[in-house]
Amino acid sequence: MNQLTLSCPRCAQPVSEGDRFCEGCGIDLRNTAPAPTAAPTPPQSPPAAPPFAAPAAPPQAAAPFGAPPAPPQATPPSAPQAAPPAPAQAAPPFAAPPAPVPAAPPFAAPPAPPQAPAGEAAVPADPRAGLVVGGSPAPAHVPGATGDFVLAAPARLLISEAEDAWDQAGAEAGAAAGSGTGPEADPVDHEPTEVVPVIDPDAGRVCVGCGARTIDADGYCESCGRSQPRPRDHQERALAGVCGVSDRGHRHHRNEDAFAVAATSRPGGVPAVVAVVCDGVSSATRPDEASQAAADIASEHLLESLESGAEPKAAMHAAIMVAAERVERLASEGPLESSRNSPACTIVSAVASEGEVTVGWVGDSRAYWFPDDRSGSLRLTLDDSWAARMVEAGLMSEAEAYADPRAHAITGWLGADAVEVEPHTTVFTPTVPGVILVCTDGLWNYEESAAALAAVVPADARVRPLEAAQDLVRFACERGGHDNITVAVLPCLPGPTAAPVPTGPAIARPQPQEG
């Protein structure tokens, strides 16, 4: 007989009744009924059936997937037993059977994919369709999106159990009554820097698309099939006195930036906060490992030194040298690519304590000072780069140097290929309230000068440092997200011995003090 087989309504790949996803295109078959397809079988030996009647079948054979056959027509006693007529058109699996209709001729074209039942939204052809980015529907392919998921701007860090219960109830109510509630009708807004929501760490990761806790070992949701962000794709950390945010951006396949924020007390109970930001060198082997190793060990060394009573400037110099040694050892701890250099990264770090800020760096990651009124904003670091050397030598203006394709070729870094590591350190004493901003070039590439970047930093950055860091990362993503972006914000108040602010140009850079 002509058996009805199931095929994917999107790509026509044959599927089985128990399949949850299509092996060809990955569509969720539970919400979209597979299309039945007539598959011819070899001719049978019994006498030919009447026109448009299906060949004879064994009496116990049932219609595919439980669809009830039409009752056979009565025949005169003297007439030979004819084959039963073809069964009524089979109802799509997973849906209530429709009213009986005339049987279709054998070998007819397969029916069009069935419509989704009332109250349920059909799965779109493109998995990105239906997402909302920045308040408007996303195109079929979101520009700058990488992989199978869309990153999104930080809307909330945690989803409470109450909110999760509401989402589940809304989805059920919408499916039952078509009320327009639930995630199918009102998709969650996931913009380019959303952190993976977690309700209960012991319950596992939560899908950023459907909220299910069914993430497999390969990073895909078993409920909706969506690829999940990796832990380093977007990170946020907040402490009293320092906050940091790091994001992969749109163009890189992984986040090669790393950061660490910490708070401690020096002898006598004097508080101190630490921020370390590192940028892996993309032309090196395993740059993500280099940046993470440097950020971790530099932060640890700074905390130990400050707690033991060391002066911040000496502690900063020593921490950068320890980080350099750790990154250098990575060259012998793993495989090296023949076409790439040894693991390498840049580093910038800030320590705020007793009304003073100590900054140390190697490479082109930067530190800025932004007072609350933004007048007198300063860049506190000088890049170890080709562009900075051209400006320092008087061969080019700053605008010309940074417009050159060689501008970001760094002349100082941490790693086995560095000829000599020379940490720079400087001490800055704020005289008015403001914030210290440390960041990688993924941010300052879009606004290089202190004055231009000051216009982007939120006015309430000192009282809402985490939101300020989120806004700056979002700004870089909206401008293209060409590189990884990492930002740390340290709110500062003037110390008890702070001197008045000298009058002068609104933008200046203190000369770094070599440590």
Side-chain angles (χ1 to χ4, degrees):
M1 63 177 291
N2 292 330
Q3 294 182 339
L4 290 177
T5 61
L6 292 179
S7 64
C8 174
R10 181 192 293 177
C11 67
Q13 171 80 14
V15 298
S16 301
E17 180 182 3
D19 286 349
R20 298 168 65 187
F21 299 98
C22 173
E23 294 182 357
C25 65
I27 189 174
D28 190 342
L29 298 176
R30 297 171 300 170
N31 296 328
T32 301
T37 305
T41 59
Q44 305 295 323
S45 57
F52 305 106
Q60 66 276 15
F65 305 106
Q73 297 179 356
T75 57
S78 59
Q81 182 67 29
Q89 183 178 2
F94 319 114
V101 295
F107 310 109
Q115 299 295 324
E120 293 183 10
V123 176
D126 191 310
R128 297 181 180 90
L131 293 177
V132 176
V133 178
S136 59
H141 177 70
V142 180
T146 310
D148 296 329
F149 58 91
V150 181
L151 299 176
R156 54 183 176 177
L157 295 180
L158 299 177
I159 296 179
S160 66
E161 295 183 2
E163 290 172 322
D164 183 65
W166 186 94
D167 291 340
Q168 295 295 334
E172 295 173 1
S179 61
T181 61
E184 292 291 342
D186 186 16
V188 179
D189 186 11
H190 295 294
E191 300 175 3
T193 55
E194 177 85 12
V195 68
V196 178
V198 174
I199 299 172
D200 181 1
D202 296 332
R205 295 171 61 190
V206 177
C207 175
V208 298
C210 68
R213 300 185 185 93
T214 54
I215 311 301
D216 63 18
D218 295 327
Y220 289 85
C221 177
E222 294 180 348
S223 296
C224 69
R226 185 174 181 178
S227 175
Q228 303 299 302
R230 289 166 289 190
R232 282 186 65 174
D233 283 349
H234 184 85
Q235 295 178 312
E236 298 184 359
R237 296 172 190 149
L239 299 173
V242 59
C243 300
V245 177
S246 182
D247 192 84
R248 177 173 60 91
H250 295 319
R251 301 297 181 89
H252 284 258
H253 70 284
R254 65 183 174 189
N255 190 355
E256 296 171 356
D257 286 0
F259 76 100
V261 294
T264 188
S265 295
R266 300 171 64 189
V270 178
V273 294
V274 173
V276 181
V277 170
C278 297
D279 184 358
V281 177
S282 296
S283 60
T285 302
R286 311 195 315 272
D288 54 328
E289 295 182 26
S291 61
Q292 190 67 64
D296 290 345
I297 199 168
S299 174
E300 180 181 350
H301 188 87
L302 279 170
L303 292 177
E304 292 177 353
S305 300
L306 293 172
E307 291 167 359
S308 65
E311 289 299 317
K313 184 178 178 182
M316 180 68 72
H317 185 279
I320 294 177
M321 294 304 299
V322 169
E325 294 171 1
R326 179 68 188 95
V327 176
E328 183 175 353
R329 289 199 303 272
L330 287 177
S332 60
E333 295 177 359
L336 296 178
E337 301 177 40
S338 58
S339 61
R340 292 176 175 264
N341 298 326
S342 299
C345 68
T346 68
I347 186 171
V348 61
S349 180
V351 173
S353 179
E354 293 188 297
E356 287 188 344
V357 180
T358 303
V359 177
W361 74 97
V362 173
D364 63 350
S365 295
R366 295 182 175 180
Y368 293 86
W369 161 248
F370 297 112
D372 284 354
D373 61 3
R374 302 295 183 264
S375 63
S377 298
L378 303 173
R379 193 174 114 196
L380 304 177
T381 57
L382 297 174
D383 297 345
D384 288 320
S385 68
W386 179 90
R389 288 198 172 185
M390 293 298 102
V391 174
E392 185 179 7
L395 300 177
M396 285 182 159
S397 68
E398 191 169 51
E400 293 172 338
Y402 282 100
D404 193 282
R406 298 165 290 181
H408 292 281
I410 58 175
T411 58
W413 64 89
L414 309 184
D417 294 329
V419 177
E420 183 178 2
V421 177
E422 298 180 356
H424 312 287
T425 58
T426 187
V427 178
F428 174 73
T429 303
T431 56
V432 293
V435 295
I436 294 290
L437 175 72
V438 292
C439 63
T440 59
D441 59 351
L443 173 64
W444 65 255
N445 273 339
Y446 298 108
E447 296 294 353
E448 191 276 330
S449 69
L453 190 56
V456 179
V457 176
D460 58 354
R462 183 170 58 84
V463 295
R464 301 174 70 245
L466 178 60
E467 289 79 0
Q470 292 170 341
D471 287 347
L472 290 170
V473 168
R474 187 182 299 112
F475 161 78
C477 287
E478 291 173 350
R479 292 289 295 269
H482 296 80
D483 200 353
N484 307 143
I485 312 113
T486 302
V487 178
V489 178
L490 296 81
C492 295
L493 295 173
T497 60
V501 180
T503 59
I507 304 174
R509 283 177 286 176
Q511 292 298 321
Q513 303 171 15
E514 301 296 338

